[in-house]
Amino acid sequence: MPSRKEPVVTATRRLLLAALAATTLAGCASATADPQPRAAPSGINLTPDQHRLTTPKVDSIAALVPDGVRSRGTLQVVDSLGTVPPLDFYATDDKTIIGAEPDLASLVADVLGLKVQFNPESWENVFVGLDSGKYDVGFTNITVTEARKEKYDFATYRLDNLGFEARKGSGWKVTGPEDVAGRTIGVSSGTNQEKLLLAWSDQDVKAGLKPVDVKYYQNSADHYLALGSGRIDAWLGPNPTTAFHAAQTGQTEIVGTYSGAGKDVQGKIAATVKKGNPLNTAVNAALNEIIKNGTYAQVLQCWGLSNEAVPGSEINPPGLPKTN
C-alpha cells in the first residue's frame, strides 16, 4: 500500500490555517447519510477530527468494480494537496487529509464497498501514478480536456470555474482578455488556468494590447504573499480556493470568474482513471448514487461549493479544446 508523503510545512501556512480554524464552529459531516442536504454550518472544521460523512454500499454498483481492486479492498486515490481549503489539503495537524475532494472520494469508496486510501503527490506525479497503474483514480480538481481524453477516462462530479483574486477594493473587473492586458498575474504551471491566461495574452498581443506578465507560483503561501504585497495584480486559480480565501481573510475579492474550459465549453471536474480502465464505470455509477441520495449535496454545501454542483455524473463529456 503506498505510503503518504509528509507535507512541507511553512510558518505562513501554519498561521493561515490557525487563523481559518479560529473561525470554525462545526464540522461538515454526520455519521450517516441524510436524505436531504442540511443547512451549511457557520464555520468549516479544519481540524483532523472530521467525522466524515458516510453512505451505504450498493451491491449492484460494487459489482462493477474490477476484480483486482475488489480483492484488494482499497480504492487507491491520488490527490495533489494545496495549503488552503476547501478542495484538498492538510488539517491543522499538518498530516490529516481533508476537504471536499477527499469527502467525495470517500463517499464513492463507500458505495463501492472499498476502503479509501489517499496518496498525495505533486500535480505532475498525479498523472505519472495513473499512467503506471500505481493509483486507481484521481480526485484532485482535474478538468476534462480533449487532450487528456486521449490517455484518460473521466466521470464528472463538479463544474470547473476559475477565479481571478485581487486585493479588495481594486475596482477592477475581469470579463475577458482585454481586462488582463498589461497586468501581472500569478498562476501555477501545468494547469488549465495557465493555458487560459497564456491564450488571453496572445489574443491581447494580436489586438495590439500589452501581453500579460505571467508569474509562476507552485505554493499558495508564496502567491498569497505576492498578492498581498502588490507584486502581482491578481492570482488566477480554481474558483473554490480563491473564493474561500477571499471570504475568510476579508483582504481580497474575486474580480472575475470564467469557465475552466474556455468560452465555448463549460469546464467540468472529474474523477480520472487510465484510459480503458473499467473502474470508471463503477465510479460514475457511484457518483450518481451519492448525487441521488443527497450526500453529494451535503458535502458541497458544507464546503461552500453548491454553485458548482452537477445534476449527474457524465462519462467523458466535451472538454477543454486542444490548442495548436
Side-chain angles (χ1 to χ4, degrees), residues 262-312:
K263 67 178 182 178
D264 297 324
V265 178
Q266 170 59 58
K268 292 181 180 176
I269 300 298
T272 305
V273 304
K274 187 176 181 180
K275 193 74 177 177
N277 186 343
L279 179 65
N280 198 54
T281 301
V283 171
N284 168 254
L287 285 166
N288 279 318
E289 171 63 21
I290 65 174
I291 290 171
K292 182 178 69 174
N293 72 22
T295 53
Y296 167 83
Q298 285 182 269
V299 168
L300 293 195
Q301 194 169 44
C302 282
W303 292 105
L305 301 177
S306 295
N307 65 351
E308 294 195 346
V310 295

Side-chain angles (χ1 to χ4, degrees), residues 170-233:
S170 66
W172 175 38
K173 297 297 180 184
V174 178
T175 60
E178 66 280 0
D179 299 314
V180 297
R183 296 280 190 168
T184 302
I185 300 178
V187 73
S188 292
S189 64
T191 60
N192 289 322
Q193 48 265 35
E194 177 198 19
K195 291 180 181 179
L196 175 70
L197 194 59
L198 293 177
W200 279 16
S201 184
D202 288 342
Q203 291 178 49
D204 286 335
V205 171
K206 290 177 181 178
L209 302 173
K210 292 182 179 179
V212 179
D213 183 7
V214 180
K215 301 295 185 184
Y216 290 95
Y217 300 89
Q218 296 303 108
N219 183 290
S220 59
D222 292 337
H223 80 243
Y224 285 138
L225 287 173
L227 184 60
S229 66
R231 295 200 305 273
I232 58 176
D233 295 313

Side-chain angles (χ1 to χ4, degrees), residues 154-172:
F154 298 95
T156 61
Y157 61 86
R158 217 181 71 241
L159 298 180
D160 172 31
N161 289 322
L162 307 178
F164 288 86
E165 183 181 5
R167 283 176 294 175
K168 199 165 187 177
S170 66
W172 175 38

Side-chain angles (χ1 to χ4, degrees), residues 302-324:
C302 282
W303 292 105
L305 301 177
S306 295
N307 65 351
E308 294 195 346
V310 295
S313 176
E314 302 172 89
I315 290 179
N316 296 334
L320 180 72
K322 291 182 181 180
T323 55
N324 295 327

